[in-house]
Amino acid sequence: MYSIVAHGARDLRLEEGAIPDGPGPGEVAVALRIGGICGSDLHYFNHGGFGTVRLREPMVLGHEVAGTIAALGEGVAGLAPGQTVAVNPSRPCGACANCRRGRANLCTDMRFNGSAMRFPHVQGLFRESVVVPAAQAVPVEASPDLAALCEPFAVCLHAAARAGSLLGARVLVSGSGPIGCLTVLAARLAGAAEIVVTDIAEPPLAVARALGATATVNVAASPDGLDGRVFDAAFECSGNGQALLAALKVMRAGGRLVLVGLGGEVTLPIAGLVPSEIEIVGSFRFDGEFAMAADLISRGRVDPSPLITHTLPMRRAEEAFVLASDRAAAMKVQIALGA
Ligand SMILES: [Zn+2]
Ligand SMILES: [Zn+2]
């Protein structure tokens, strides 16, 4: 069984390992088909980590995967061999203070596949097969490539929930990468009247329009492109400090800005924020939104397919990561696991 392992910055290896045992009681074996490359995978690949999170041992990358059920362990009900599932990479402890408060995405003892936040690292899912607790295998009635978008879409559904009601709202999304684009879908579902997306490159903005953005602004070509606009809610998905400051300038008083992108540091204009009561909130990962994403994709309530620009076989993993790092060339790059 092959897996895609990061040993450090720009050191990605396709490695052969033993087929996992099992499945044991309460577990399922999943033959993985598709894995989407996410921003965090790119940070491990390009820089060996992000912020204080560094690779300290080899780690299988990947947390956006889907496949088919290969075998059921004893006592597993509600799943069948051959069924398409998305694997939920999030395993909160269920016992810490945040879990008990219903904020499991903020679990202080989280096990998240393909994350170097804890040590030993929690290995990722860019591999040909995996055995997981049955609850992590979430059925999706869609092709595996769309099913593999459940994870990033769940991130965006959570961000939309953090914004509060978007019914009839004027929404700004800064950063038109995969997360920005899936946030467009989430905001549409939540009833936003207007969704304006900004970026510094044209190709991602074309995808945002295909997914339902009502307008797009290339802020590199038109730095004043947002002048005169006012927004009820904003999603900062670029992780760029200047984009955050630009968004603050066009928020209405009392509006809410949701930080989704992980970025650098900026100086905030406190004297403007206090009298305008603009709220700035973070949004991190997801909880119940994973099942919601699977349901919405299964029902065809959203069509995220324009987001997938490339699918490469596993043996071309390095090329896939280089391609995914080039924002002008690619949006969501997926790897055909097992191919
Ligand atoms: Zn992701
Ligand atoms: Zn917990």
Side-chain angles (χ1 to χ4, degrees):
M1 182 204 65
Y2 284 96
S3 44
I4 298 168
V5 186
H7 284 252
R10 292 275 169 163
D11 185 0
L12 197 67
R13 304 181 200 172
L14 191 61
E15 291 183 358
E16 192 166 12
I19 293 171
D21 291 341
E27 295 179 329
V28 295
V30 181
L32 295 171
R33 293 282 172 81
I34 290 283
I37 299 176
C38 176
S40 63
D41 299 315
L42 290 176
H43 280 293
Y44 292 122
F45 171 71
N46 285 309
H47 313 295
F50 46 89
T52 57
V53 180
R54 315 304 305 180
L55 282 174
R56 290 156 61 198
E57 61 174 342
M59 183 176 80
V60 179
L61 295 180
H63 59 265
E64 303 181 359
V65 301
T68 51
I69 299 275
L72 302 179
E74 198 187 312
V76 174
L79 293 169
Q83 196 170 17
T84 299
V85 292
V87 177
N88 184 344
S90 170
R91 258 179 291 169
C93 76
C96 73
N98 287 338
C99 281
R100 280 186 275 116
R101 249 180 233 128
R103 307 283 297 270
N105 61 312
L106 305 179
C107 175
T108 52
D109 196 21
M110 175 65 89
R111 282 179 170 72
F112 199 94
N113 290 111
S115 168
M117 280 188 183
R118 56 190 295 153
F119 187 86
H121 304 334
V122 183
Q123 297 294 316
L125 298 168
F126 286 167
R127 50 172 72 217
E128 290 180 286
S129 62
V130 70
V131 171
V132 292
Q136 306 300 122
V138 180
V140 185
E141 287 171 38
S143 55
D145 57 335
L146 294 185
L149 292 173
C150 283
E151 196 274 345
F153 188 40
V155 168
C156 301
L157 291 171
H158 183 70
R162 295 286 289 150
S165 172
L166 293 177
L167 202 57
R170 298 160 296 177
V171 171
L172 172 68
V173 177
S174 60
S176 188
I179 289 293
C181 282
L182 291 171
T183 297
V184 171
L185 291 182
R188 275 177 66 191
L189 277 171
E194 186 185 308
I195 307 170
V196 179
V197 182
T198 64
D199 203 277
I200 53 171
E202 196 50 42
L205 292 173
V207 177
R209 288 192 294 273
L211 291 173
T214 54
T216 57
V217 177
N218 182 333
V219 287
S222 320
D224 307 329
L226 288 179
D227 285 5
R229 291 188 186 264
V230 180
F231 297 96
D232 304 297
F235 297 89
E236 207 306 289
C237 300
S238 72
N240 180 299
Q242 295 312 309
L244 163 59
L245 295 177
L248 281 175
K249 281 189 192 144
V250 290
M251 296 296 296
R252 74 158 164 81
R256 192 178 290 183
L257 193 157
V258 182
L259 298 178
V260 193
L262 284 164
E265 293 178 7
V266 286
T267 303
L268 290 177
I270 307 292
L273 288 175
V274 170
S276 65
E277 293 195 351
I278 290 171
E279 296 173 61
I280 301 177
V281 300
S283 183
F284 188 56
R285 293 179 175 161
F286 52 84
D287 185 28
E289 292 90 355
F290 193 94
M292 199 188 290
D295 187 48
L296 290 165
I297 290 173
S298 295
R299 291 173 188 270
R301 294 281 284 115
V302 289
D303 177 13
S305 53
L307 194 58
I308 304 166
T309 52
H310 299 80
T311 306
L312 274 73
M314 229 176 163
R315 63 191 146 74
R316 288 169 63 193
E318 174 141 18
E319 191 185 334
F321 273 75
V322 171
L323 188 59
S325 304
D326 182 352
R327 299 200 62 242
M331 290 292 280
K332 182 59 77 183
V333 176
Q334 293 188 328
I335 298 175
L337 304 170

